[in-house]
Amino acid sequence: MLTKSSTELVRQRNSVLVLSVLRRHGALAHTEISDSTGLSSATISAITTELEKAQVIEKSEQQPASGRGRPRVLLRQRRDCGYLIVVIISSDAVQYSLVDYAGKLIDRFSEERSHDPAGAVRFVAAVRAGLLRILDRSKISQEKVLLISISSKGLVNSTEPVLVWSPIFGSEQIDFESALRPEWQAKVILDNETLLVAAALGAREEMVKGADFRSLAALSLGHSVGLGIVRRGNQTGQEISAPNFGHMLHMANGGLCRCGTRGCIEAYAGFYAILRSAFEVPLDTIPAKFVPVAELDKIAAKARQGHRVPAFAFRQAGLALGNGLSRMLSLTERMPIAITGPGTRYYDLLRQGIEEGLGQSHIVRMEGMPEIRVVADEQILVFEGHLNRALSVIDEDIVLSGVQGIQASATVQESG
Amino acid sequence: MLTKSSTELVRQRNSVLVLSVLRRHGALAHTEISDSTGLSSATISAITTELEKAQVIEKSEQQPASGRGRPRVLLRQRRDCGYLIVVIISSDAVQYSLVDYAGKLIDRFSEERSHDPAGAVRFVAAVRAGLLRILDRSKISQEKVLLISISSKGLVNSTEPVLVWSPIFGSEQIDFESALRPEWQAKVILDNETLLVAAALGAREEMVKGADFRSLAALSLGHSVGLGIVRRGNQTGQEISAPNFGHMLHMANGGLCRCGTRGCIEAYAGFYAILRSAFEVPLDTIPAKFVPVAELDKIAAKARQGHRVPAFAFRQAGLALGNGLSRMLSLTERMPIAITGPGTRYYDLLRQGIEEGLGQSHIVRMEGMPEIRVVADEQILVFEGHLNRALSVIDEDIVLSGVQGIQASATVQESG
DNA sequence: CTAAATTTCTCGACTGTCGAGAAAAAAATC
DNA sequence: GATTTTTTTCTCGACAGTCGAGAAATTTAG
């Protein structure tokens, strides 16, 4: 369904555009913004003075002029325009980060978290306490927090911040919106962790390749298996999705997965599955949910020494991943695949299986093997993805609803 | 990457919007257009007078006023504004249709086509001849043909009209753009057949459900297996894709497919595959590419009488389809599935397998079985999809490039 | 101290949308 | 038949947005 367009919409979009280039390149001068947006200088003037009045951006102090001519006046976001809290939920801890509007980290701490599977209610309470704690430590007023951006492994509702399925709580849903609503006015968004990795990698890729960038998939290997896909939209930036890849069917009536279904990819490629396979435990018994990495390192060492059974376990994991990726490629388009997560340390053992699994499908035989690269530092990518996404959401919200209101209150302040 | 917005863009979008409601609802009065677009009456006046000057739409003759008040002046597309040729390539024939700008069928004929596999070059020549023939029969000048919309089964390049892989010609690519360019100025687009079915069903669904419509998949069963997915875009109408579903990997090292790969879905669910399975021919021999439907009907009859082997063949086909669909759902979101094509006549035999295959995956166990409906009349849907897509492409092209130019030439005509 | 270079800002022109009200035209009413 | 009512279309002025050109500002080079 098409929808009508108006001149106000034009201004909104161009304002968001200005904020986004400011976000990408840091402090910029009038002319630079004009160059990188394609908007005329006059328009930049109009938009920036409006944003300045609304206290969203500010002119930097006079700085030592480099080169002749009238010195540039740099425009930058006002750090105190608003704040963002990032909550990264991982299997053994929850990390809270407070970030200002310019993307600068202000405070951060982690809290251990028990693996109590019946603790969804308690977990939500812990998150609420954590949020209040980081707010309290920084002495920032609660209204200044514009957005709470949460990430977790598992399956996320695409429209609302509801965790539909997670490795720890299973099908016990967690609705962060309603959990935080009485206490917080801030908008709450929830994303799958690997989706954020894909978003970060996609943004990096677009920085390098520019308009040539088409799409990219991020595969995260660890206790569970995650996939994020980022595609260049026709106009509206990037489209990102985080399918339920780890629990896509690998083989009908296959090994039992910790989700209770048989034959999931994770039941072959998750850490616990590799362990199970290496110890030749029957495929219908389900081992511990979380396996110490040291344990897996031992198996990997044996495999590298040439022991048949552990090597086979990694190979089977690779095959499941390769088959799954080939199915994903059959449904999308050829795209490079970036592998991240703790599982990358075993990539030497997985590689052959992955490539063989990929090669078993028509699409790969026809179009050739996709580019596969290993990217370490998943944690950094997750945080980077949070910032990319959350800050652009904030920018949009400010322009959409805020500018007039904030501007009005600002002028009142001036005159008062 | 965001891009700048301008007032001209606003006008373009709103013009396209006006044309699209005119296309959906037929001839409309000023006020009706205003109501269904949300644009003000003044804007409608501006846009329609411009389009009328450009000879794209026209005012209808005075008609018997129904109700009091000033009688309505209906606006409708000018049929002679431009023409569209639809080319539907199926396994045994090529159908050519000439359609006017209002979507009215003017002429149509089919041409048999040989299954000569080495005949890609000859096939292209036949298509060129067919196009000239339909043009000649109707006495329409070639410049008035604005678009040639082609469809085929198989895999299609997403940006250019290139048939990348097809059941008949295999990997022998056909580039319709370069094949028709010297002769035709018209734009050429090529779409997968099942994509068009999905587009048509999606449009119908949106008519009924309105904003509630989210997404839908069309599964076409026949000699080959096709899938089309239509999703509601955030603003820009619908997003449609036609993945390589028939040749998605069903089972590693499985039955040999006619594409030369082992274990494709089609190698279990294509007509030839069901035949092979019912006759207990080894899975690595590849039977005739096209199986007479009568042959399959016989097998189906036996299966319905309770014979074990043919019933098993259909069941295996259903399992392959169900597993594949479950994998598709793991990568997208829950959506209804519409089954079309000649294979629907065996749906009673396939159904159990499909449902069992779907039920083997985590996503279906968690979210429940997707709605499955059987839709006959695939041919009609294909044509409907052609019209939906092609005419809206024409609308956009006219507004984007045409209006100024046509308008200019029109005013010259007037003054000359 | 002046000229050149460079950046920012401002002004008028142009395009687009909108709301209000005028104009048009047929049905209803007196 | 004249007048009123109702409905639709068209037009005008107000307002928002972008753009190009040129003025204003300000520093460096000579």
Side-chain angles (χ1 to χ4, degrees):
Chain A
M1 184 61 187
L2 299 172
T3 176
K4 81 168 182 180
S5 217
S6 66
T7 51
E8 286 94 345
L9 255 175
V10 171
R11 168 54 75 86
Q12 280 181 1
R13 292 176 108 100
N14 285 339
S15 297
V16 169
L17 179 61
V18 167
L19 285 180
S20 80
V21 305
L22 227 46
R23 172 109 21 236
R24 257 207 301 282
H25 298 115
L28 288 180
H30 203 102
T31 12
E32 292 169 319
I33 298 178
S34 170
D35 285 350
S36 48
T37 57
L39 293 167
S40 77
S41 165
T43 306
I44 301 296
S45 270
I47 289 175
T48 53
T49 53
E50 192 185 37
L51 289 173
E52 202 185 348
K53 267 198 196 130
Q55 311 196 339
V56 177
I57 62 173
E58 62 187 355
K59 289 188 178 137
S60 75
E61 292 310 301
Q62 302 289 47
Q63 54 179 44
S66 62
R68 50 164 71 182
R70 181 172 171 174
R72 297 181 159 187
V73 177
L74 295 189
L75 296 165
R76 54 162 53 92
Q77 301 106 314
R78 287 186 62 152
R79 294 193 183 293
D80 59 354
C81 166
Y83 298 88
L84 157 72
I85 300 180
V86 171
V87 182
I88 298 178
I89 302 169
S90 61
S91 56
D92 48 4
V94 181
Q95 184 193 66
Y96 301 84
S97 307
L98 181 70
V99 181
D100 69 20
Y101 178 64
K104 179 137 185 270
L105 182 64
I106 297 175
D107 187 17
R108 168 177 284 174
F109 61 83
S110 281
E111 283 182 350
E112 297 280 311
R113 100 192 194 40
S114 67
H115 281 171
D116 183 1
V121 176
R122 208 184 310 165
F123 174 70
V124 167
V127 169
R128 287 175 57 183
L131 286 171
L132 289 179
R133 185 174 157 209
I134 201 163
L135 187 71
D136 184 55
R137 279 164 54 136
S138 64
K139 309 292 175 206
I140 283 173
S141 85
Q142 201 173 26
E143 303 90 63
K144 278 285 190 179
V145 176
L146 301 179
L147 187 66
I148 299 173
S149 179
I150 310 175
S151 70
S152 166
K153 289 190 191 300
L155 193 58
V156 160
N157 183 312
S158 60
T159 55
E160 280 161 281
V162 175
L163 187 59
V164 176
W165 188 90
S166 58
I168 299 121
F169 299 113
S171 292
E172 194 176 1
Q173 296 202 353
I174 299 180
D175 179 352
F176 287 102
E177 172 76 24
S178 65
L180 301 177
R181 181 51 58 229
E183 225 162 355
W184 294 85
Q185 284 85 39
K187 189 171 184 170
V188 180
I189 61 177
L190 170 66
D191 285 306
N192 171 287
E193 190 175 295
T194 317
L195 177 140
L196 295 175
V197 173
L201 288 172
R204 284 187 186 176
E205 191 90 345
E206 197 163 20
M207 287 282 249
V208 179
K209 287 196 185 171
D212 288 344
F213 170 72
R214 282 196 51 81
S215 52
L216 180 144
L219 177 68
S220 169
L221 302 180
H223 299 299
S224 58
V225 176
L227 184 78
I229 301 176
V230 52
R231 257 174 293 195
R232 172 194 203 72
N234 38 8
Q235 45 180 320
T236 165
Q238 301 187 330
E239 282 170 36
I240 338 181
S241 60
N244 193 18
F245 185 76
H247 300 279
M248 187 167 94
L249 183 67
H250 166 52
M251 189 181 290
N253 302 311
L256 185 64
C257 178
R258 57 180 175 176
C259 75
T261 313
R262 302 178 67 99
C264 297
I265 288 178
E266 200 179 289
Y268 291 83
F271 279 181
Y272 73 91
I274 296 174
L275 188 80
R276 174 170 70 186
S277 173
F279 285 154
E280 299 188 273
V281 177
L283 287 182
D284 55 352
T285 62
I286 179 161
K289 278 196 173 182
F290 296 96
V291 178
V293 176
E295 200 70 23
L296 226 68
D297 278 346
K298 278 189 231 160
I299 299 172
K302 280 188 190 163
R304 290 192 184 104
Q305 284 159 24
H307 288 79
R308 210 182 54 76
V309 174
F312 184 71
F314 281 103
R315 189 181 148 72
Q316 287 296 100
L319 273 174
L321 293 171
N323 281 172
L325 287 174
S326 89
R327 287 168 177 141
M328 187 269 287
L329 292 177
S330 290
L331 290 176
T332 58
E333 57 179 30
R334 189 181 148 82
M335 61 179 77
I337 294 163
I339 303 184
T340 62
T344 49
R345 62 203 300 168
Y346 314 120
Y347 183 63
D348 57 327
L349 299 168
L350 294 168
R351 181 174 166 182
Q352 204 194 346
I354 291 178
E355 288 182 357
E356 189 180 329
L358 272 166
Q360 284 170 341
S361 76
H362 177 226
I363 190 89
V364 171
R365 286 178 49 157
M366 202 171 50
E367 299 184 343
M369 196 68 76
E371 179 196 337
I372 299 181
R373 51 183 106 147
V374 175
V375 184
D377 290 329
E378 187 180 34
Q379 287 314 307
I380 294 174
L381 288 170
V382 172
F383 188 67
E384 200 175 308
H386 266 288
L387 292 194
N388 283 350
R389 246 173 117 59
L391 292 174
S392 66
V393 166
I394 290 182
D395 282 348
E396 270 176 43
D397 283 359
I398 283 178
V399 169
L400 250 65
S401 64
V403 171
Q404 279 81 9
I406 297 176
Q407 189 175 355
S409 70
T411 48
V412 166
Q413 258 188 340
E414 272 174 21
S415 65
Chain B
M1 184 57 189
L2 299 172
T3 174
K4 80 168 181 179
S5 219
S6 66
T7 52
E8 287 93 355
L9 254 175
V10 170
R11 169 55 72 88
Q12 281 181 0
R13 292 175 110 98
N14 285 339
S15 297
V16 169
L17 179 62
V18 166
L19 286 180
S20 80
V21 305
L22 227 46
R23 175 124 357 252
R24 258 207 300 282
H25 299 114
L28 286 180
H30 204 103
T31 13
E32 293 169 318
I33 298 178
S34 170
D35 285 350
S36 49
T37 57
L39 294 168
S40 78
S41 164
T43 307
I44 302 296
S45 272
I47 290 175
T48 53
T49 54
E50 193 186 35
L51 288 174
E52 203 186 347
K53 269 200 195 128
Q55 309 196 340
V56 177
I57 62 174
E58 62 188 354
K59 288 188 178 135
S60 76
E61 292 310 302
Q62 304 289 48
Q63 54 179 44
S66 63
R68 48 164 74 181
R70 178 171 174 175
R72 297 182 160 185
V73 177
L74 296 188
L75 295 165
R76 56 162 51 91
Q77 301 108 311
R78 289 186 63 151
R79 295 192 181 295
D80 59 352
C81 166
Y83 296 88
L84 158 71
I85 300 179
V86 172
V87 182
I88 298 178
I89 302 169
S90 61
S91 56
D92 48 5
V94 181
Q95 185 193 65
Y96 300 83
S97 309
L98 181 70
V99 180
D100 70 20
Y101 179 62
K104 179 136 186 274
L105 182 64
I106 297 176
D107 187 18
R108 167 177 285 175
F109 62 83
S110 280
E111 284 182 350
E112 295 281 309
R113 98 192 194 43
S114 66
H115 281 170
D116 183 359
V121 175
R122 210 184 308 165
F123 174 70
V124 167
V127 169
R128 287 174 58 182
L131 285 171
L132 289 179
R133 186 174 155 210
I134 201 162
L135 188 71
D136 184 53
R137 279 164 54 135
S138 63
K139 309 293 177 207
I140 284 173
S141 86
Q142 199 172 27
E143 302 92 60
K144 278 284 189 179
V145 176
L146 302 179
L147 187 65
I148 299 173
S149 180
I150 310 174
S151 71
S152 165
K153 290 190 189 300
L155 194 58
V156 159
N157 184 312
S158 59
T159 56
E160 280 162 281
V162 176
L163 187 59
V164 176
W165 188 90
S166 60
I168 300 122
F169 301 112
S171 291
E172 194 176 359
Q173 296 203 354
I174 299 180
D175 179 352
F176 287 100
E177 172 75 26
S178 66
L180 301 178
R181 181 51 56 229
E183 225 162 353
W184 294 85
Q185 284 86 39
K187 191 170 182 172
V188 180
I189 61 176
L190 170 66
D191 284 307
N192 171 286
E193 191 174 294
T194 316
L195 177 139
L196 295 175
V197 173
L201 287 172
R204 284 188 186 178
E205 191 90 345
E206 197 162 21
M207 287 282 248
V208 180
K209 288 196 184 171
D212 288 346
F213 170 72
R214 281 197 50 83
S215 51
L216 180 144
L219 177 67
S220 169
L221 302 180
H223 299 299
S224 58
V225 176
L227 185 78
I229 301 176
V230 52
R231 256 174 293 197
R232 171 194 204 71
N234 37 7
Q235 44 181 320
T236 165
Q238 302 187 329
E239 282 170 34
I240 338 180
S241 59
N244 193 18
F245 185 76
H247 300 279
M248 188 168 94
L249 183 68
H250 168 52
M251 189 182 291
N253 302 312
L256 185 63
C257 179
R258 59 180 173 175
C259 75
T261 312
R262 302 178 67 99
C264 296
I265 288 177
E266 200 177 288
Y268 290 83
F271 278 180
Y272 73 91
I274 296 175
L275 188 81
R276 174 171 68 186
S277 173
F279 284 154
E280 301 189 271
V281 177
L283 287 181
D284 55 353
T285 62
I286 181 162
K289 278 197 172 181
F290 295 96
V291 179
V293 175
E295 200 71 26
L296 226 66
D297 279 344
K298 279 189 229 163
I299 299 171
K302 280 188 191 164
R304 290 191 184 106
Q305 284 161 22
H307 287 80
R308 213 182 52 77
V309 174
F312 184 71
F314 281 103
R315 189 182 148 72
Q316 287 296 102
L319 273 174
L321 293 171
N323 282 172
L325 287 174
S326 89
R327 285 167 178 142
M328 186 269 288
L329 292 176
S330 291
L331 290 177
T332 58
E333 58 180 28
R334 187 180 150 81
M335 61 179 78
I337 294 164
I339 303 185
T340 62
T344 50
R345 62 204 299 167
Y346 313 121
Y347 182 62
D348 58 326
L349 298 167
L350 294 167
R351 182 176 165 183
Q352 204 194 345
I354 291 177
E355 289 182 357
E356 188 179 330
L358 273 165
Q360 286 171 340
S361 76
H362 176 227
I363 190 91
V364 172
R365 287 177 49 154
M366 201 170 53
E367 299 183 344
M369 197 67 75
E371 179 196 335
I372 299 181
R373 50 183 107 147
V374 175
V375 183
D377 289 330
E378 188 180 32
Q379 289 312 307
I380 294 173
L381 288 170
V382 171
F383 188 68
E384 200 175 307
H386 265 288
L387 292 193
N388 282 351
R389 245 174 117 61
L391 293 174
S392 68
V393 166
I394 290 182
D395 281 347
E396 268 176 45
D397 283 0
I398 283 178
V399 169
L400 251 64
S401 64
V403 171
Q404 278 80 11
I406 297 175
Q407 188 175 355
S409 69
T411 50
V412 167
Q413 259 186 337
E414 272 174 22
S415 66

